[in-house]
Amino acid sequence: MNGLMLIARREVTTQIRTRAFVIGLLVTAALVAAVSFLPKIMGGGDSYTIGTVNSQQLPLHTAAPEVEFEWRKFADEAAARQAVLAGDVDAVLVNDSKVLTDGEIETELGVLMQSVNREFKLGAAGVAIPPLEMQSVGADTRYESSRQAIATVLVLVLFMLIMGQVVMVAMGVVEEKGSRIVEILLASVRPWQLLGGKILGLGVLGLINLVTIAVVGLGAAVASGAASDFPPGIPGLVAAVLVWFVLGYAFFATLAAALASLVSRQEEVNSVLTPLTMGIMATYFVSFYVTNEPTGTLAMVASYIPPFSSMIMPVRMAATDVPMWQVGVSMVVMVAAVAAVLAFGAKVYERAVLRTGARVKLGDVLRTR
């Protein structure tokens, strides 16, 4: 175990000091923060400038708290008309009886002013009309759009991180094998320790990236006000995503290391990883489909099948409410799959990593005793 931790520490310290890792982490954090603020920058809230002539200001903000209202007072109707035509105000309320606008009034503003003016005058006359009680008999859809957005972002983040870290594992294995450094390392540690240390170390780097994305994203969402639209249970979802990332990464990275040990040149990495890459892409596409149909049959079935479950189950958890027993069963099955892949990958790696030269066939490695 000491050998495994030594290799893992070596991978972390080597990679985390590189300029590429630091710059990549900073760029990722900046992009995540920018995306979190983008809806507020692009959308913004509606705002209106309204004038008054011998009129009281209507409490429009009570009916539309998300809209900003600026009020201006004019001495007479003539000055108000000039302001309207000049575009300085959107509308002017005159003598509590009419509204001046340049052309047809905007629908939202017109409805607001009509309804609030009616309620205001009824209240002044002592007439109280209780508001209608809004009661939904269907599913709660308040967070439907935000859930789908979170699920979509989650798919992209998991796919990019898993794909990036898996390629790093494969390239590292081939680099050590091609330069014959692996022979020196195996004189001090066992093959499974070298393999496990590399997977563990590069996985820590992936977790650093994922935690950075989560912390910066949530922090920026709180600062921009977007977090007010988030559904409850976000901390639990973040914790679950970290666990699912570890399981998915362990599954794919072990297979990547095993396949990469079959070749000795960097140029051959892409070809030997093609089946694995296609598997990751298939998992990504199915997960992306699930963001729109989180309760469909495909989503339900695939969330129990490794390695699809490593992306699909967290996406389902983000997009809809998933019973904990389903999450538990899926996680147990995924853990069993990871254990089986680790045993398989360690066997292939141990038998192939010292065989340099031409590409080694997987069948020959498995038949070797």
Side-chain angles (χ1 to χ4, degrees), residues 162-178:
I162 289 178
M163 180 67 82
Q165 297 306 117
V166 162
V167 171
M168 285 184 65
V169 170
M171 297 296 287
V173 169
V174 175
E175 181 182 0
E176 291 177 352
K177 181 177 178 179

Side-chain angles (χ1 to χ4, degrees), residues 52-53 73-86 88-89 92 100:
T52 61
V53 178
K73 189 173 183 180
F74 295 97
D76 51 44
E77 186 173 335
R81 289 178 179 272
Q82 291 181 358
V84 169
L85 294 175
D88 295 334
V89 291
V92 177
L100 304 178

Side-chain angles (χ1 to χ4, degrees), residues 5 88-89 139 176 188 330 340 351:
M5 297 306 298
D88 295 334
V89 291
E176 291 177 352
S188 303
S330 178
R351 296 177 180 180

Side-chain angles (χ1 to χ4, degrees), residues 42-304:
M42 297 297 292
D46 290 333
S47 61
Y48 298 103
T49 302
I50 305 175
T52 61
V53 178
N54 299 323
S55 303
Q56 297 187 47
Q57 295 182 9
L58 298 176
L60 300 177
H61 62 279
T62 58
E66 73 282 359
V67 181
E68 294 183 4
F69 298 98
E70 179 184 351
W71 291 86
R72 295 184 183 179
K73 189 173 183 180
F74 295 97
D76 51 44
E77 186 173 335
R81 289 178 179 272
Q82 291 181 358
V84 169
L85 294 175
D88 295 334
V89 291
D90 297 295
V92 177
L93 178 62
V94 180
N95 297 326
D96 291 323
S97 60
K98 66 179 179 181
V99 177
L100 304 178
T101 60
D102 185 6
E104 187 175 352
I105 191 170
E106 188 173 332
T107 302
E108 180 185 29
L109 180 59
V111 171
L112 275 173
M113 294 189 72
Q114 289 282 16
S115 60
V116 173
N117 177 65
R118 186 180 300 110
E119 292 183 9
F120 183 71
K121 289 185 175 179
L122 287 173
V127 179
I129 302 177
L132 294 174
E133 179 183 356
M134 301 298 177
Q135 187 178 81
S136 173
V137 296
D140 188 355
T141 59
R142 287 177 299 170
Y143 304 110
E144 186 173 346
S145 59
S146 61
R147 280 182 177 274
Q148 185 173 0
I150 293 172
T152 302
V153 172
L154 186 58
V155 169
L156 296 173
V157 169
L158 287 176
F159 169 72
M160 290 188 295
L161 285 180
I162 289 178
M163 180 67 82
Q165 297 306 117
V166 162
V167 171
M168 285 184 65
V169 170
M171 297 296 287
V173 169
V174 175
E175 181 182 0
E176 291 177 352
K177 181 177 178 179
S179 62
R180 307 183 79 91
I181 294 178
V182 66
E183 298 177 7
I184 301 175
L185 294 174
L186 290 179
S188 303
V189 297
R190 296 179 179 179
W192 70 268
Q193 292 176 323
L194 180 57
L195 173 64
K198 180 173 291 295
I199 293 174
L200 177 60
L202 294 178
V204 169
L205 298 179
L207 275 176
I208 291 175
N209 278 283
L210 183 55
V211 170
T212 299
I213 291 173
V215 171
V216 173
L218 292 176
V222 171
S224 66
S228 60
D229 296 327
F230 285 178
I234 289 296
L237 176 62
V238 172
V241 168
L242 294 177
V243 175
W244 282 112
F245 167 77
V246 170
L247 293 175
Y249 164 77
F251 185 96
F252 289 115
T254 302
L255 290 178
L259 293 174
S261 67
L262 302 176
V263 299
S264 302
R265 297 186 303 167
Q266 301 278 354
E267 296 81 4
E268 298 176 301
V269 174
N270 287 335
S271 62
V272 79
L273 287 184
T274 297
L276 181 62
T277 303
M278 292 177 64
I280 298 176
M281 292 297 296
T283 304
Y284 165 71
F285 286 128
V286 175
S287 301
F288 202 87
Y289 173 80
V290 169
T291 60
N292 295 311
E293 295 288 342
T295 58
T297 303
L298 177 61
M300 292 284 291
V301 174
S303 63
Y304 295 104

